[in-house]
């Protein structure tokens, strides 16, 4: 399922959405022009066209202009798959979401895509339900697609061994979940510190508001404990 970066990933969970720059979008069923077609139109060699498309400096301005004009006229786009084989990187980041409808993760993905785009990286996003098997398959799919890095949003703890194995192939970042696996980075809120520092301020605000309304005699502060499940 393909889409532009500003389009939502529609459909049921388990569907994979690939968000790529427009140059990667399918154009038509007509035969696509090849690097050879560009070389013939520009009157240069295939290897020179390859140098131009890679942005190599050892090409004269005139030859570069001829190649770029020929490529534009033909509607030629470099083969990303072939290029990734040569460079041994795809310029793609894989993102696995466990809850597509959580607004927190929507903000996270928005930030990831913005930052990735600034470095000419695209993103592949897949959504899964809270089952270890579904997340394991999603991880396998991302690795098979040769992504350059993985971002996992609140993965299940049962996958620690799988995450550790994945981190031996590509950089892995966990969001909202800690892992002791080596070579795995974690991004999460400091909930303990945040709750501790915010509680007195919230209590003071409540008491001030009650006093302002003449309700000082009805102020009640009840001590209690806060707990949450791991998935909460």
């Amino acid at each position: 399922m393909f889409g532009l970066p500003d389009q939502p990933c529609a459909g049921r969970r388990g569907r994979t959405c690939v968000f790529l720059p427009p140059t990667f979008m399918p154009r038509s069923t007509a035969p696509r022009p090849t690097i050879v077609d560009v070389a013939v139109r520009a009157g240069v060699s295939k290897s020179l066209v390859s140098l131009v498309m890679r942005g190599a400096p050892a090409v004269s301005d005139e030859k570069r202009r001829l190649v770029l004009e020929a490529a534009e006229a033909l509607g030629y786009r470099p083969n990303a798959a072939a290029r990734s084989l040569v460079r041994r990187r795809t310029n793609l980041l894989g993102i696995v979401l466990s809850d597509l409808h959580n607004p927190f993760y929507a903000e996270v993905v928005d930030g990831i895509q913005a930052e990735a785009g600034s470095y000419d990286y695209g993103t592949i996003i897949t959504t899964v339900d809270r089952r270890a098997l579904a997340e394991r398959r999603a991880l396998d799919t991302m690795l098979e697609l040769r992504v350059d890095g993985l971002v996992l949003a609140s993965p299940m703890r049962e996958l620690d061994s799988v995450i550790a194995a994945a981190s031996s192939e590509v950089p892995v970042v966990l969001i909202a979940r800690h892992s002791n696996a080596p070579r795995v980075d974690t991004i999460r809120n400091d909930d303990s510190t945040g709750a501790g520092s915010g509680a007195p301020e919230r209590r003071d605000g409540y008491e001030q508001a009650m006093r302002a309304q003449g309700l000082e005699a009805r102020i009640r502060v009840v001590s209690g404990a806060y707990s949450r499940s791991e998935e909460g």
Side-chain angles (χ1 to χ4, degrees):
M1 185 175 187
F2 292 87
L4 293 173
D6 60 349
Q7 293 179 329
C9 179
R12 295 177 299 175
R13 289 183 175 182
R15 300 287 295 277
T16 299
C17 293
V18 182
F19 294 90
L20 299 174
T23 54
F24 288 86
M25 297 294 290
R27 294 171 62 91
S28 67
T29 57
R32 297 179 179 179
T34 66
I35 193 171
V36 175
D37 298 325
V38 176
V40 170
R41 187 179 183 96
V44 299
S45 67
K46 174 184 173 182
S47 59
L48 193 141
V49 174
S50 179
L51 288 173
V52 172
M53 293 304 166
R54 295 203 307 267
V59 180
S60 69
D61 292 341
E62 176 63 17
K63 295 294 186 181
R64 190 181 304 277
R65 181 186 63 80
L66 289 173
V67 170
L68 293 177
E69 288 180 353
E72 183 176 0
L74 293 171
Y76 171 77
R77 296 289 182 270
N79 187 321
R83 183 170 53 191
S84 67
L85 289 175
V86 174
R87 297 182 176 181
R88 295 188 177 182
R89 67 175 186 270
T90 58
N91 275 64
L92 292 174
L93 300 179
I95 304 174
V96 180
L97 293 177
S98 59
D99 188 356
L100 178 64
H101 304 289
N102 188 326
F104 169 76
Y105 293 123
E107 293 289 336
V108 168
V109 171
D110 186 57
I112 293 173
Q113 288 187 318
E115 189 67 13
S118 69
Y119 289 92
D120 294 325
Y121 273 78
T123 57
I124 300 178
I125 301 175
T126 186
T127 61
V128 297
D129 53 25
R130 299 297 296 169
R131 291 181 301 158
L133 178 59
E135 292 194 14
R136 185 188 301 268
R137 287 174 175 171
L139 286 175
D140 288 341
T141 298
M142 291 295 185
L143 294 174
E144 289 170 3
L145 291 171
R146 299 294 190 268
V147 295
D148 294 334
L150 279 170
V151 179
L152 312 179
S154 192
M156 299 186 70
R157 290 195 178 278
E158 288 86 343
L159 294 179
D160 271 352
S161 61
V162 179
I163 292 170
S167 69
S168 67
E169 300 184 42
V170 297
V172 175
V173 176
L174 302 187
I175 297 177
R177 231 268 279 143
H178 176 69
S179 173
N180 292 320
R183 300 182 302 277
V184 173
D185 293 317
T186 299
I187 299 175
R188 59 176 182 162
N189 294 329
D190 188 350
D191 294 326
S192 297
T193 301
S197 63
E201 287 81 359
R202 289 193 294 271
R203 184 187 63 192
D204 290 345
Y206 158 71
E207 292 178 350
Q208 291 173 12
M210 292 291 283
R211 291 190 184 98
Q213 298 298 321
L215 300 174
E216 183 174 359
R218 302 183 65 178
I219 292 177
R220 297 290 184 274
V221 178
V222 180
S223 299
Y226 171 74
S227 63
R228 65 179 179 85
S229 67
E230 180 185 324
E231 308 303 333

